[in-house]
Every structure is written in structure tokens, then in C-alpha cells.
Amino acid sequence: MDVSAITVPTLAEEVYDRVRSGITSGTLAPGSRVSIRALADQLSVSTMPVREALKRLQAEGFVVFGRRSVSVVSLTAEELHQVFAVRLHLEQLATEWALPRLTPTDVDDLRAVLAEMADDHLETGRWRALNRRFHQRFYECAASPYLLDLIRGVWDRVEPYMAIYASTVEDFSEAHRQHVRMLGLIETGDLPGLLAENDWHLEHTRRTVAEALSEARRPPT
């Protein structure tokens, strides 16, 4: 048993968590400049823990330091394609492992998440949280903490772009239809059908985000 003293999270750790959350949620959008002083003022801290947090996030690939500025990393179209390809392979493996282990309770949980997502007046941030919960609740059934940790890491890379997705689509009806089809395939244990549906689901999302990024980066005429 470890008898060392229990410590509360340090200020630097809290600042790191807050800034990282701002990036993964899309509040600090890809490509945006980050003011160390402004962040420090917003968090009511000195600039030192903010700078430490950003250095840590730089090492993790979330921000980049320029000569006189710090910016949130913005993926190119090819990098975005690669991240979604990695996500697809990890999630297909998780699907193969999860489906045989599924219990009625797991299915009930997934159905409950989808029921909440069916609300036409759902705020986009809440929809994104439920979307992530639906997918990862299923992948938890794979009973592999290592695989789930890898999937979460890739989702953190994709999550800022899900904010772009959520702001681009007219509504979430198409995504909901895809989720309903996925749940049906989960319930029937149709692995080939589920793998194909997941492939299409991720490609639909990637293409929507890529088109939105291309439009945003197009120089004005």
C-alpha cells in the first residue's frame, strides 16, 4: 500500500486541464492564436502556469509556439484524413471485440443515450457530448482499457473538428439515422453490417468537416 501523502491537483494541473478542455471542445478553435496574458486573466492566475500548460500541450501536439505567438494546431486536409483513418481502424477493432461481449444492460444504456439525442432542441455542445458517449459506451464493452485509451486519445484530436461539424450541418437528423442503424445492427449482432455502417458514418463526418474547412480556408474573392 502506498502510504505517501495524498495531494490535491496543483494549480498548473488545473490550468492545463482547463486549457486542454478549451481546445478539445473547440472553444479555442483550430488555428486560433492564444494569448498567454489573456488566458491568465481569464483564469485569474499568473502567466507562469499558463505557459507551463501550453508547453505541455505543445509536447502533446495541441498547440505550436511561434516567434511571438502561440496557436492551436490546425490539421491539414491530409492530416485530418489520417486521423480519421486511425480512428476507423481502432474503432473497427473495438467493434469486433465489443459485439460478442454485449449485455442487455449495455444495449439499454445505448438506447437511452440515443433517446436523449433525439431531442430536436438539443444544444450542440450537449449533442456532441452524447455523441461521444454513445460511441465510447459501446467500445467500453470491448473490455480493453488499452484500446479504449487509444480511442479516447484520437477522439481528443478529432473533437475540435466535431465542433465544426456541429456548426456546419443543418441539423443532426442524418447523424441520428446513422446511429439508429448502428444500434439496430448492434442488437442483431450483425458484425459485417456494423463494420460497414461505422465506416460510412466516419467517412460522412470526415467529409463534412473537410468541406467546411476547405470553405473556411478559401481566400475571399
Side-chain angles (χ1 to χ4, degrees):
M1 176 179 175
D2 185 356
V3 295
S4 59
I6 297 175
T7 59
V8 298
T10 64
L11 178 63
E13 190 70 23
E14 178 65 22
V15 170
Y16 164 81
D17 288 341
R18 295 278 292 276
V19 178
R20 191 179 192 278
S21 177
I23 294 172
T24 58
S25 69
T27 303
L28 295 173
S32 62
R33 288 193 174 187
V34 179
S35 167
I36 294 176
R37 169 54 62 188
L39 273 179
D41 291 344
Q42 290 172 19
L43 299 173
S44 299
V45 297
S46 70
T47 58
M48 183 176 294
V50 174
R51 187 176 295 277
E52 289 177 2
L54 290 173
K55 286 291 187 182
R56 184 173 168 185
L57 289 165
Q58 180 188 35
E60 295 175 358
F62 284 102
V63 301
V64 58
F65 277 71
R67 291 185 62 187
R68 297 185 179 180
S69 64
V70 182
S71 300
V72 179
V73 167
S74 180
L75 299 178
T76 65
E78 177 59 25
E79 289 169 338
L80 187 69
H81 177 80
Q82 291 175 1
V83 171
F84 269 90
V86 170
R87 179 182 160 185
L88 174 63
H89 284 289
L90 290 174
E91 293 187 19
Q92 298 291 57
L93 179 59
T95 297
E96 293 178 10
W97 290 357
L99 200 58
R101 294 178 170 87
L102 208 66
T103 69
T105 298
D106 298 326
V107 174
D108 288 343
D109 287 349
L110 293 170
R111 191 180 293 115
V113 175
L114 280 193
E116 188 171 352
M117 293 178 75
D119 183 355
D120 292 335
H121 305 291
L122 203 62
E123 186 266 332
T124 56
R126 180 58 180 162
W127 183 89
R128 288 170 52 208
L130 289 169
N131 176 62
R132 181 164 182 161
R133 179 57 184 158
F134 173 76
H135 288 281
Q136 296 196 11
R137 176 64 183 85
F138 175 56
Y139 299 140
E140 287 170 4
C141 301
S144 174
Y146 311 105
L147 180 56
L148 190 60
D149 188 55
L150 290 171
I151 291 173
R152 285 170 175 159
V154 175
W155 268 75
D156 285 344
R157 299 287 181 181
V158 170
E159 201 63 28
Y161 299 88
M162 291 304 296
I164 296 173
Y165 171 85
S167 65
T168 299
V169 296
E170 185 174 334
D171 56 46
F172 300 117
S173 57
E174 174 56 30
H176 188 67
R177 283 191 291 269
Q178 293 173 16
H179 287 145
V180 169
R181 288 197 297 268
M182 292 171 72
L183 181 58
L185 294 164
I186 288 170
E187 290 178 308
T188 59
D190 184 351
L191 179 59
L194 185 56
L195 292 174
E197 185 64 33
N198 193 38
D199 190 343
W200 163 246
H201 181 66
L202 290 184
E203 176 57 22
H204 168 77
T205 303
R206 185 202 65 78
R207 190 170 61 246
T208 301
V209 172
E211 290 172 356
L213 286 175
S214 177
E215 183 65 27
R217 291 167 176 169
R218 185 175 295 127
T221 56

